Amino acid sequence: MPRGDLFPDIAPFETGLLPLSGGHVMYWEQVGNPRGQPVLFLHGGPGAGAGAIHRRFFDPGHWRVIIFDQRGAGRSRPLGELRDNTTPHLVADIETLRRFFGIERWLLFGGSWGSTLALAYAQAHPDRVAGCVLRGVFLGRQSEVEWFLYGLKRVFPDAWSAFAEHVPPAERADLLGAYLRRLCDPDPVVHGPAARAWSLYEGSCSTLLPSPETVASFAQDRSALGLARIEAHYFAHDLFLPPQGLLGGMERIAHIPAEIVQGRYDMVCPPDTAFELAAAWPRARLTVVPDAGHSALEPGVRTALVAAVERFRRAR
């Protein structure tokens, strides 16, 4: 997939490991201008981890880009660990990271679960957020989880069949429970194939047109385990969000400017959720990409994301 509209590849100017509570250790990196305007990248999942491609949404001459892998994900340790792994833990980790770097306020950039975490953090610490760029909005409601587990069958029956057929017919009425039992099994012979089946399902449904590259990235054993195990864990606990949900806390961030980018044919996080969020957010601008699905790397989505970040740069 050509990616010429992103900024060039760049290496971090600093990386490190930050001890957290509960025995977790966070991987972090800084990219771009050490004296630039700070922006925090929040990866999806939960549990997907960040990669080198995510550095390229930001002009390295302007932005001080901070990227980290959330608890149990990517290069953070222990991989796939569920103990002390909740949304409030992740929100606290972001504050720990902000204080570690001595940053007063930063722009938040997050897609899919990253949009959920950005909203949760912003509502908890609105004075620390200069703005938000969100993509493929997910609010963590039960209806959205049910859509992922069962509703996608209506659009991707082949991918869903492969996902469902990984467990015996008697367990398919509760796919989440069936998968969670396998993903939490200590035996790699049990949790490995379950993680790959879950991740392949998500990857297969993430783009408007078939993308073998996207599917292959989801199928890698290490990324699959973090994504599948942590995602199922969060789904089983209502994403560890407050009972009123994220829309119930919008008054706390009504003054914060936001850019929302949404693929018209996003099947993983359908666009009605982005429209609901935009309607509840006075300072949000919604851009609907007419020829895209869920992935941040689809041409129209990545172009819109870069443009959204640049608008925040010019507004400074």
Side-chain angles (χ1 to χ4, degrees):
M1 179 182 298
R3 294 171 180 171
D5 45 358
L6 297 178
F7 291 97
D9 284 319
I10 187 172
F13 64 80
E14 187 180 21
T15 66
L17 296 170
L18 184 62
L20 303 171
S21 64
H24 288 270
V25 178
M26 174 200 294
Y27 170 85
W28 58 263
E29 63 184 42
Q30 293 199 83
V31 178
N33 183 350
R35 294 171 294 282
Q37 187 177 352
V39 55
L40 179 70
F41 178 86
L42 299 167
H43 68 69
I53 190 69
H54 299 133
R55 305 166 186 160
R56 298 180 57 194
F57 287 100
F58 313 96
D59 181 345
H62 177 83
W63 295 98
R64 176 187 179 186
V65 186
I66 297 165
I67 298 175
F68 75 104
D69 288 335
Q70 297 157 28
R71 291 181 178 228
R75 293 150 291 186
S76 292
R77 298 291 180 268
L79 178 68
E81 178 57 62
L82 303 183
R83 287 174 295 182
D84 293 319
N85 196 337
T86 70
T87 302
H89 282 105
L90 299 185
V91 168
D93 293 346
I94 296 171
E95 263 300 275
T96 298
L97 194 62
R98 184 192 63 79
R99 291 193 298 269
F100 176 76
F101 286 120
I103 292 171
E104 185 67 22
R105 295 168 75 237
W106 46 12
L107 178 69
L108 305 180
F109 180 108
S112 196
W113 162 254
S115 73
T116 323
L117 185 55
L119 289 167
Y121 174 81
Q123 291 180 9
H125 302 280
D127 56 328
R128 302 303 182 186
V129 179
C132 295
V133 176
L134 308 181
R135 185 268 313 165
V137 174
F138 178 63
L139 296 177
R141 298 171 296 188
Q142 186 60 35
S143 59
E144 296 170 78
V145 173
E146 287 295 313
W147 169 262
F148 177 82
L149 293 170
Y150 296 100
L152 273 169
K153 177 182 180 181
R154 300 179 63 183
V155 186
F156 291 96
D158 44 353
W160 185 86
S161 292
F163 173 62
E165 288 169 6
H166 182 75
V167 303
E171 297 185 61
R172 291 176 194 166
D174 180 17
L175 285 172
L176 180 56
Y179 265 95
L180 191 58
R181 286 189 293 274
R182 289 163 174 80
L183 292 166
C184 292
D185 192 294
D187 188 347
V189 174
V190 177
H191 68 238
R196 284 191 292 276
W198 179 291
S199 298
L200 282 169
Y201 170 58
E202 186 164 342
S204 298
C205 302
S206 290
T207 53
L208 177 63
L209 299 177
S211 171
E213 179 185 15
T214 300
V215 175
S217 70
F218 274 80
Q220 296 174 10
D221 285 348
R222 290 186 61 79
S223 56
L225 179 61
L227 172 66
R229 181 184 287 170
I230 296 174
E231 201 162 80
H233 166 65
Y234 272 67
F235 283 1
H237 293 89
D238 298 317
L239 284 299
F240 300 98
L241 294 172
Q244 71 272 22
L246 293 170
L247 289 179
M250 291 305 296
E251 75 283 350
R252 300 189 192 99
I253 60 172
H255 63 288
I256 295 175
E259 296 272 355
I260 302 171
V261 175
Q262 181 71 37
R264 170 68 71 185
Y265 300 104
D266 185 339
M267 291 294 104
V268 176
C269 297
D272 58 332
T273 303
F275 276 80
E276 289 181 69
L277 178 63
W281 201 338
R283 298 201 62 192
R285 167 178 171 157
L286 173 62
T287 299
V288 178
V289 181
D291 55 351
H294 182 66
S295 172
L297 298 177
E298 292 190 86
V301 175
R302 62 179 189 258
T303 299
L305 287 170
V306 169
V309 173
E310 287 296 289
R311 282 193 288 273
F312 271 105
R313 171 182 174 172
R314 293 194 297 269
R316 187 178 182 185

